Amino acid sequence: MDIATQSIDGGFAEPVFNAQTVFRAIMDAMARPGTVQNLPQLARPPAPLSATAGAVALSLCDNDTPVWLDPPLQAEASVKAWLGFHTGAPLANTPADAHFALIANPKEMAALDGFAQGTQEYPDRSTTLILLVDDLASGPSLLLEGPGIERTSMIAPPGMPRHFVEQCKQNNQRFPRGVDIILAAPGSLSCLPRTTRIKLMEA
Amino acid sequence: MYVAVKGGEAAIANAHRLLADRRRGDRSVPALRLDQIVEQLALGVDRVMSEGSLYDRELAALAIAQARGDMIEAIFLVRAYRTTLPRFGYTNPVDTGAMQIERRISATYKDLPGGQVLGPTFDYTHRLLDPELAAGAEVETPAQRPAEPEAMPRVSAILAHEGLIEADGEMPLDHVPGDITREPLQFPMARDIRLQALSRGDEGFLLALGYSTQRGYARNHPFVGEVRIGEVELELDVPELPFAVPLGSIRVTECQMVNQFKGSAKAPPQFTRGYGLVFGQSERKAMAMALCDRALRAGELGEDVVAAAQDEEFVISHSDNVQATGFVEHLKLPHYVDFQAELGLVRRMRAEYEARENEDKAEEKREAAE
Amino acid sequence: MNAQSNDIATYNFAYLDEQTKRMIRRAILKGIAIPGYQVPFASREMPMPYGWGTGGVQVTASIIGPDDVLKVIDQGADDTTNAVSIRAFFKKVAKVAVTTETAKASIIQTRHRIPEHPLNAGQVLVFQVPIPEPLRFLEPRETETRKMHALEEYGLMHVKLYEDIAKHGRIATTYAYPVKVEGRYVTDPSPTPKFDNPKMHRSPALQLFGAGREKRIYAVPPFTDVVSLDFEDHPFEVQTFDQPCALCGAENVYLDEVILDDHGGHMFVCSDTDHCEKRRADGHHGHLAPETHLASEETEPAE
């Protein structure tokens, strides 16, 4: 398939209702950090962008939201063409300009504080990170506390960035500034807003 | 025996039915057609387009009819429709210097290239009610002459030759024009954003503020450099094409105020500008807008902010009549839950007050008895 | 465009265009991530006036889907005219099922009350907010209040509340009583009576706040601390009523005063009409209850 065909195929079949379905999953996940929200396959983006991450991008990104792609995604012309065609989102020049960042390889990703953190007056002007993960259960267990969590919650995404727990701690300390994270796994997603306090569970 | 009131839905439906009846009025009188409104109440249509921020005469006429002639209601109808429209692109800035002019006057020069053109103005009409109009008398066709071959440069350009007026709207080269319908307002705001807000602002509110500057609340010595009304071309850049695509033309009113300025720590003595641009024919609005624009540039020009018209947050936050009418009129909605809370508090404080009074009186009596 | 044709104007599902929904959805996510912080958003004109719930309507329109069940209340009642009107709007533009039963709703849009029936984890409560800035009446300038929030500088609010105590012997704020969310942002709970403030604290439901005219969205995620401002010597307390609901006999609920005649006769009844009807259907009686039970309204099917 050539890039032109790839870039046109694989969008939402029902843009209005699919976008709503995906958004509600993200909203519920953001409101209840650590819960896993199931999501049917609604988008078929070119690899290495995943169906879930692609659907998240379709439901949230548009001309008003510069998107930053990590090197593996950046390297794929078809991914850029697909995002450009379906969302119209411009590519951000640097992580600090991005409203959203799509990260296919979280393990190698830039530090959290390299993305837009918002300002003390406008902490909402920060990057939302969309991390592609293989699943939400096979990695080291993370214990979560904070708003949206009654007592504690747990999630175990594999292949997270280096020093992730420490980076999240610093992200907490920057509050109200900071980044929010959407973990996009095959068939499901989960969120870690900047308020969530994360500890590594002892094995 | 008490039964809670029900039937809100039926009451609303009936109210709307009655509204439709009152809007139609006496059925023996022919119903207004939209083309009649477009043709014969054209300045009302222009105001609705301007403050409704949607250039469509027919929809504006429909809104006026639907609103029974209530202009703010009509503006509201148009706004609530336009907000749902998808955005296809942004036209290039219109060139008012190349306007097909129907009216153009300057108060600063007796004569100027292109001349003074009175056009269809109420100015110099004697405001005498006209029984012939009521009787539906025939109207003469207008006198016409061939258009002047001479260009009609904007007066500000003429002044600029001498270097006596500030440059026209300087923005940094990389400035992307804002869009108040797509981004939340933020104070302080850039002038392009402010002008957008003023252009859709309430005519009456801007008129009163502009008037206040003339009466000394931030006086800024205005002259009407020029008012011009006419048609301007709209063009859209399409990436696939090497030229801008013409989309048609719209009628606008532009006012350039020229304000004397003695200079400040920030700027040399020179003439400064206030700018007004609105859809359709509305000199009053364009002039009031230009006065307000100039007043709101106080900070930029190093003037003291001493009056309401200079206060950006005050002016822009309250200039939108759709917002204002909504919030004022929402006081009609039930507030009995909050009123109950206040009632409880006042009763309690009143009881305490009376208890104190009684105690004081009893005390006085005791003292008197002793 | 032909003004005479019937399709002169067509509207998207839930009225708003998709670009607008995305913009509002992004603001909602930021609001959830920064509890109590007012996220600026490019509020749209809605087909009802500003001040009549346009913020709440925009939030609801952006989150609602065809499977949602919507409840709309104003003053706690489903049958107040503006609640009826907003419910009818969503029935028309989103074709969703509507209900008056708190427990059956997935989205509850409200003006001035939080339902008496405890909310559960699946529910979203959408508040209509007139003035989202709790500091606005102390400082009218947005440029100033934004700085105060940025610096967490809330001394002015405490001074104001303490002046109340000095003058009136108590904090004389009975509704829109300011709260602190998750120990950081001082936030306006919307003009609910302070009676409802404790219901916001660690509620299992997601609480979203929309202020259309003022162009702000904010949120309180589930299980988030919401503390009403007070002083050690003057702790926060809610309104109490001397008598139970005259219709259902409920105590510890918020009551409306109903005037019965022009000689000062009055009675107190539940402000939450659904709660009151449920109790009466369950056989509870107040001292002025009519003999016959009012059947509670069933969920109305989608149109």
Side-chain angles (χ1 to χ4, degrees):
Chain A
M1 214 166 14
D2 62 4
I3 286 181
T5 322
Q6 276 190 9
S7 69
I8 292 170
D9 281 354
F12 285 148
E14 291 192 78
V16 173
F17 296 109
N18 294 164
Q20 192 270 341
T21 302
V22 176
F23 168 70
R24 274 294 272 277
I26 302 168
M27 183 181 87
D28 288 344
M30 197 65 86
R32 296 178 176 80
T35 60
V36 174
Q37 306 291 327
N38 292 322
L39 202 64
Q41 175 167 349
L42 296 169
R44 285 174 291 105
L49 192 57
S50 70
T52 303
V56 170
L58 293 190
S59 68
L60 294 179
C61 302
D62 56 31
N63 314 40
D64 298 331
T65 58
V67 173
W68 190 77
L69 303 178
D70 78 341
L73 292 170
Q74 188 75 248
E76 282 302 324
S78 59
V79 168
K80 285 191 268 188
W82 189 84
L83 285 171
F85 179 80
H86 289 286
T87 70
L91 291 181
N93 294 325
T94 69
D97 299 326
H99 290 201
F100 291 93
L102 281 159
I103 317 277
N105 185 3
K107 225 171 178 165
E108 302 292 327
M109 73 180 274
L112 296 187
D113 63 6
F115 294 91
Q117 306 291 311
T119 63
Q120 205 66 18
E121 270 95 4
Y122 294 96
D124 54 307
R125 295 178 183 174
S126 57
T127 309
T128 300
L129 309 176
I130 303 161
L131 271 50
L132 280 70
V133 294
D134 291 337
D135 58 74
L136 296 167
S138 72
S141 295
L142 305 174
L143 190 72
L144 315 178
E145 283 179 39
I149 304 168
E150 186 166 13
R151 299 165 57 114
T152 58
S153 172
M154 213 214 43
I155 195 159
M160 296 305 279
R162 279 185 291 268
H163 312 300
F164 182 64
V165 171
E166 184 52 36
Q167 286 202 59
C168 286
K169 198 178 201 178
Q170 290 166 5
N171 193 43
N172 294 151
Q173 285 161 354
R174 282 190 286 273
F175 191 85
R177 300 162 69 235
V179 296
D180 309 308
I181 297 171
I182 300 173
L183 299 169
S188 64
L189 59 82
S190 192
C191 288
L192 299 171
R194 66 194 75 180
T195 49
T196 303
R197 298 180 292 277
I198 303 177
K199 271 193 291 195
L200 203 57
M201 270 218 312
E202 303 300 326
Chain B
M1 205 57 56
Y2 171 77
V3 180
V5 186
K6 283 267 174 193
E9 213 152 334
I12 290 173
N14 284 335
H16 293 172
R17 202 169 140 188
L18 184 59
L19 169 65
D21 174 82
R22 293 295 192 265
R23 174 164 49 217
R24 177 60 184 87
D26 184 345
R27 307 291 201 275
S28 67
V29 176
L32 263 179
R33 293 194 319 267
L34 298 191
D35 57 355
Q36 292 174 316
I37 298 173
V38 168
E39 292 301 319
Q40 296 172 37
L41 297 175
L43 300 192
V45 169
D46 282 353
R47 179 172 177 203
V48 170
M49 293 199 304
S50 173
E51 291 172 34
S53 302
L54 181 70
Y55 196 92
D56 186 317
R57 294 191 189 283
E58 213 161 19
L59 285 180
L62 171 60
I64 291 171
Q66 192 175 328
R68 306 178 69 189
D70 178 333
M71 296 306 269
I72 293 182
E73 180 69 23
I75 290 161
F76 179 17
L77 282 167
V78 166
R79 288 262 200 100
Y81 177 65
R82 89 178 281 288
T83 195
T84 68
L85 299 176
R87 193 64 61 99
F88 296 120
Y90 291 84
T91 61
N92 294 332
V94 295
D95 179 6
T96 51
M99 179 186 283
Q100 288 288 329
I101 288 193
E102 186 167 56
R103 169 168 166 77
R104 186 266 204 126
I105 51 155
S106 169
T108 52
Y109 294 99
K110 183 172 185 207
D111 198 7
L112 66 170
Q116 307 260 14
V117 180
L118 277 186
T121 179
F122 291 119
D123 296 351
Y124 321 114
T125 61
H126 298 138
R127 270 64 167 196
L128 304 171
L129 286 171
D130 181 1
E132 283 184 20
L133 182 64
E138 284 297 315
V139 176
E140 280 181 291
T141 51
Q144 289 188 315
R145 63 174 163 88
E148 296 284 336
E150 198 179 11
M152 283 215 191
R154 297 156 90 211
V155 166
S156 51
I158 297 169
L159 260 177
H161 279 305
E162 256 190 281
L164 292 181
I165 192 163
E166 61 172 338
D168 195 355
E170 281 174 276
M171 283 284 183
L173 274 180
D174 58 348
H175 181 81
V176 180
D179 182 344
I180 57 166
T181 68
R182 285 294 181 271
E183 296 140 27
L185 292 181
Q186 190 190 325
F187 297 104
M189 49 183 45
R191 192 172 168 210
D192 57 332
I193 300 275
R194 210 163 57 203
L195 287 170
Q196 287 175 33
L198 291 175
S199 187
R200 56 153 53 182
D202 181 73
E203 180 176 316
F205 180 71
L206 298 187
L207 179 66
L209 282 174
Y211 177 45
S212 74
T213 67
Q214 290 180 287
R215 291 196 63 260
Y217 290 85
R219 183 149 178 250
N220 55 35
H221 312 276
F223 300 92
V224 172
E226 181 180 44
V227 170
R228 53 169 62 196
I229 303 175
E231 304 270 326
V232 289
E233 290 283 336
L234 289 184
E235 292 182 334
L236 183 72
D237 276 332
V238 179
E240 290 79 13
L241 296 174
F243 52 87
V245 179
L247 300 176
S249 62
I250 59 170
R251 172 170 297 240
V252 295
T253 303
E254 181 186 56
C255 172
Q256 295 237 33
M257 284 291 175
V258 175
N259 302 72
Q260 192 225 85
F261 178 59
K262 293 198 169 66
S264 72
K266 281 190 182 174
Q270 60 185 330
F271 289 107
T272 56
R273 304 168 189 247
Y275 187 71
L277 182 72
V278 296
F279 283 161
Q281 174 172 350
S282 181
E283 269 164 62
R284 184 187 303 120
K285 170 73 180 286
M287 292 171 71
M289 174 176 169
L291 289 173
C292 289
D293 172 49
R294 177 59 186 80
L296 290 170
R297 297 181 61 210
E300 174 196 339
L301 294 167
E303 297 167 323
D304 292 335
V305 174
V306 294
Q310 296 169 301
D311 184 330
E312 178 179 88
E313 217 179 309
F314 177 81
V315 173
I316 303 299
S317 300
H318 302 112
S319 62
D320 188 307
N321 54 24
V322 178
Q323 289 175 12
T325 197
F327 203 46
V328 167
E329 293 197 48
H330 108 286
L331 293 171
K332 291 182 279 193
L333 291 179
H335 282 79
Y336 53 77
V337 162
D338 293 343
F339 185 70
Q340 186 62 51
E342 294 288 75
L343 205 55
L345 177 70
V346 171
R347 276 186 185 134
R348 209 162 131 190
M349 295 198 324
R350 184 63 180 258
E352 285 168 2
Y353 172 83
E354 273 159 15
R356 271 199 311 274
E357 290 278 291
N358 288 342
E359 245 172 58
D360 288 351
K361 272 188 203 136
E363 182 78 4
E364 272 169 31
K365 259 187 201 161
R366 261 201 308 280
E367 276 170 11
E370 272 168 17
Chain C
M1 186 171 288
N2 180 359
Q4 263 72 40
S5 76
N6 287 330
D7 56 356
I8 184 166
T10 54
Y11 296 100
N12 190 20
F13 173 82
Y15 178 79
L16 296 172
D17 60 285
E18 290 301 299
Q19 193 180 357
T20 298
K21 285 185 198 166
R22 271 194 300 275
M23 178 269 297
I24 293 172
R25 287 167 179 170
R26 293 192 293 259
I28 290 171
L29 295 181
K30 285 286 164 49
I32 293 170
I34 316 167
Y37 165 72
Q38 303 163 50
V39 185
F41 81 111
S43 175
R44 302 291 197 249
E45 285 87 359
M46 296 300 286
M48 54 280 288
Y50 283 117
W52 298 52
T54 56
V57 169
Q58 287 180 80
V59 168
T60 299
S62 300
I63 66 173
I64 203 164
D67 301 332
D68 275 306
V69 179
L70 178 70
K71 172 183 166 83
V72 184
I73 51 172
D74 187 338
Q75 313 296 299
D78 299 89
D79 205 43
T80 33
T81 41
N82 204 41
V84 169
S85 166
I86 291 172
R87 191 164 58 235
F89 174 71
F90 280 108
K91 255 172 95 170
K92 185 170 168 187
V93 300
K95 299 188 170 45
V96 292
V98 296
T99 184
T100 58
E101 285 185 61
T102 301
K104 284 190 180 162
S106 57
I107 300 173
I108 301 169
Q109 181 167 327
T110 180
R111 177 169 172 264
H112 292 193
R113 275 312 309 278
I114 296 175
E116 305 291 359
H117 189 281
L119 301 177
N120 65 47
Q123 293 179 307
V124 183
L125 186 59
V126 178
F127 293 78
Q128 302 171 198
V129 184
I131 304 275
E133 178 50 73
L135 307 170
R136 184 61 69 232
F137 300 106
L138 309 173
E139 169 52 63
R141 273 164 207 290
E142 169 68 14
T143 32
E144 292 302 315
T145 52
R146 191 155 283 275
K147 247 180 258 160
M148 291 156 81
H149 284 294
L151 301 170
E152 211 175 342
E153 178 49 68
Y154 296 127
L156 202 58
M157 180 62 92
H158 283 99
V159 169
K160 189 257 166 200
L161 295 177
Y162 213 86
E163 275 176 3
D164 266 13
I165 294 171
K167 243 188 255 168
H168 311 293
R170 63 170 57 78
I171 296 173
T173 299
T174 57
Y175 61 92
Y177 190 104
V179 295
K180 197 164 207 181
V181 177
E182 200 59 20
R184 175 57 175 83
Y185 283 102
V186 167
T187 303
D188 175 48
S190 90
T192 50
K194 64 179 180 175
F195 179 88
D196 286 337
N197 278 19
K199 295 179 188 163
M200 296 174 71
H201 180 60
R202 298 192 69 76
S203 168
L206 169 62
Q207 301 172 77
L208 300 177
F209 298 77
R213 195 179 36 76
E214 298 282 338
K215 302 178 170 52
R216 297 288 184 274
I217 283 172
Y218 53 104
V220 175
F223 307 113
T224 297
D225 288 346
V226 177
V227 178
S228 302
L229 300 184
D230 64 357
F231 299 94
E232 261 177 37
D233 49 345
H234 281 90
F236 172 79
E237 51 185 30
V238 300
Q239 289 100 338
T240 53
F241 293 85
D242 301 335
Q243 39 191 307
C245 169
L247 295 180
C248 76
E251 292 180 38
N252 303 318
V253 295
Y254 196 79
L255 301 177
D256 291 333
E257 186 169 341
V258 177
I259 307 296
L260 294 175
D261 52 45
D262 54 3
H263 314 299
H266 58 181
M267 67 191 265
F268 287 88
V269 298
C270 283
S271 127
D272 183 336
T273 50
D274 170 62
H275 185 72
C276 196
E277 283 167 16
K278 275 274 161 351
R279 281 180 51 85
R280 278 180 282 152
D282 291 346
H284 296 281
H285 280 287
H287 67 285
L288 287 174
E291 293 302 309
T292 50
H293 295 321
L294 287 171
S296 63
E297 278 174 50
E298 285 302 309
T299 302
E300 293 172 46
E303 276 187 347

